[in-house]
Amino acid sequence: MPQAINNWQTDQNSGQGKQPKPQYRSAFRILSSYITPHRKTFSLVAICTVIAIASELFQPFLVKIAIDDNLMAGNNDFSSLLVICAIYLGLSLSGLLFTYLQNNLLQDAGQSIVAKIRKQLFQHITKLSMSYFDKTSSGSLITHVSSDTEAVNQFFNQVLLTLLRDGLTLVSILVMMFYLDATLGLYCLLLLPIIALIAIAFRSFMRTTYQMARTRLSRLVAFVAENLSGMSLIQVFHQQKAQAELYKERNEDYFKANVREIRTQVLFNRTFDLLGNLTIAFVVWTGGKAVLGTTIEFGVLYAFITYIRQFFQPINAITQQWNTLQSATVAVNRIWGVLDIEPEIQDSAKTVKVDYESVQGRVDFNKISFSYGNGSPIFRGLDLHIRPGEMVGIVGTTGAGKSSLMSLLCRFYDVQEGSVNIDGNDVRNIPQADLHRIVGLVQQEPYLYAGSIIDNVRMFDESISREDVIQACEFVGADQLVSRMADGYDTKLSERGSGLSAGERQLLSFARIIVFRPKILILDEATANLDSQTEQLIQRALQVVSKGRTTIVIAHRLSTIMQADRIIVLSHGTIVESGTHAELIELQGVYEELYRHSQGEAAASIEAPEAQTIP
Ligand SMILES: Nc1ncnc2c1ncn2[C@@H]1O[C@H](COP(=O)(O)OP(=O)(O)OP(=O)(O)O)[C@@H](O)[C@H]1O
Ligand SMILES: [Mg+2]
């Protein structure tokens, strides 16, 4: 079964993991460090909230005044009634205005905090070492940057607002109730434990349904994303139906989880409504008796009933936000888990300043030993010394360690024993920014970004002129390809350069390396996707580029490296042969056999193509 389809199977199960337990204290500490710079805005939000709440809560009190002092008193004082109406209207408007202000201010501060976190996270991820990306799936990193930051966003937009507004509303309503009538207020206070009991009873149930819905949604999204990137594979293996079935299953799972979540919420809300209505009935009964017995005024009863109606809304909101608070807490801790990871590869304390212009390009692998993580060793005491300006070809079977050796020179990983030196300086002591300016790598699978050809060649570095880019493209023969494109050098490439063939992508990555003029040039299978005519063009370009530059060329196609000053044959992490093409042919060893094979293949494919057809 193809690799990508296998991955889907494993990924489908990976979404089942339980959410870690939220650690509120650390999450709040982290978030409050972000809130501090926005102190002023948050204080303004608090002021606006207080004014908005006061405006809303004073309205029933105004009606009470109108009822008790005007209507019930029967003094026909229309002018003061009009004043009350005007104030009522004014309060409504002020409630509206300050709620609007409060929302806007909070959005502004909250969004800028979330944008800052997202930026920090992205910058941090780009600094992490390759060993981290070997261990971590890109899917989970995408989740951190997108959904986890979104959960933090919800914290500011919903949780914080609710805690502030509804918490304050609740307290104010209680105060107003006690002010109006202490006995009735006390009865209502007795409600709180009942409400708490209901909320607790529903809480774990609501949390489970909420998290189940979220997990199933992310599984659904991951499934779609993987299918999109492996679309050609699906079509070529006729997997459309099978994948559609799998999607249907996931979709139904999500649908069921969603329905269950909504059902739980509706049940919870209606239970609250019922409790609210029972309370009102109770207040109408006891309060009504009191009004009839003239111990309280009718207006007080009216205001009381209105407050009870308002009393349940914030409690409901706070309970609902509990889940969001939990997922935001988990998200914050997860984001900080990533931010806390130190890159394995770091600039050492005793860095040596390397002047780019004076780099000679001598490369020494001094008895290096290396393994990926805790895996089996790839190199055991490998020794290789490359002179400045030398062109070295490396051949070897698949998995021999050719790319790994180059990764060590680029310091994507550090050796466990021995050292990799450039001009006698350990790469671990060269600042990474300098190192990556000195060493240039064209990889097996060149990567292009969504952007214009110009920007892709100069890697969005505006200091490199358009003319330089065009010159480099002409040099490697990419100009013909560019001239065929609708907007020439300004043609926008789609994601991963998917509008281009593999060979065309390689040509552009060649142009890229020529523009950046590294002192040590590494080509790792960089001509694998080119036809022999284009390869010859690149060969010629390479000869010019490699002058005065240390060049390391890894190739399976031997024609690419025949001209090298020295050819190294690598097998299972050790150098088994070394010498010029002629010397190695004479040696009649591994290289000679490889060469014979390649010649034979070339001849066979010309002379007897039918012999190669698969039965
Ligand atoms: N990131 C990694 N994590 C763990 N093992 C790795 C990693 N990259 C490569 N390896 C292993 O290291 C060995 C050498 O791999 P490497 O990519 O250097 O081979 P190569 O000579 O470049 O092969 P090819 O000709 O196929 O490109 C292989 O056995 C491979 O499985
Ligand atoms: Mg390789």
Side-chain angles (χ1 to χ4, degrees), residues 134 372 378 397-404 413 444 556:
D134 290 343
Y372 287 102
I378 307 289
T397 46
T398 296
K402 304 176 296 288
S403 301
S404 304
Y413 302 89
Q444 226 155 341
H556 284 301

Side-chain angles (χ1 to χ4, degrees), residues 298-362:
F298 176 64
V300 173
L301 184 63
Y302 164 81
F304 219 95
I305 290 171
T306 317
Y307 284 136
I308 287 175
R309 282 207 177 283
Q310 290 183 351
F311 184 66
F312 279 87
Q313 190 269 328
I315 293 182
N316 203 348
I318 290 174
T319 326
Q320 304 254 344
Q321 289 309 320
W322 190 249
N323 293 320
T324 321
L325 175 66
Q326 280 194 323
S327 52
T329 313
V330 170
V332 168
N333 283 312
R334 236 183 346 216
I335 290 173
W336 262 263
V338 178
L339 284 177
D340 272 347
I341 294 168
E342 294 275 327
E344 254 175 54
I345 306 286
Q346 292 207 10
D347 283 346
S348 83
K350 44 176 185 182
T351 51
V352 283
K353 194 78 204 120
V354 183
D355 179 23
Y356 168 78
E357 292 303 333
S358 61
V359 171
Q360 300 289 309
R362 180 182 174 77

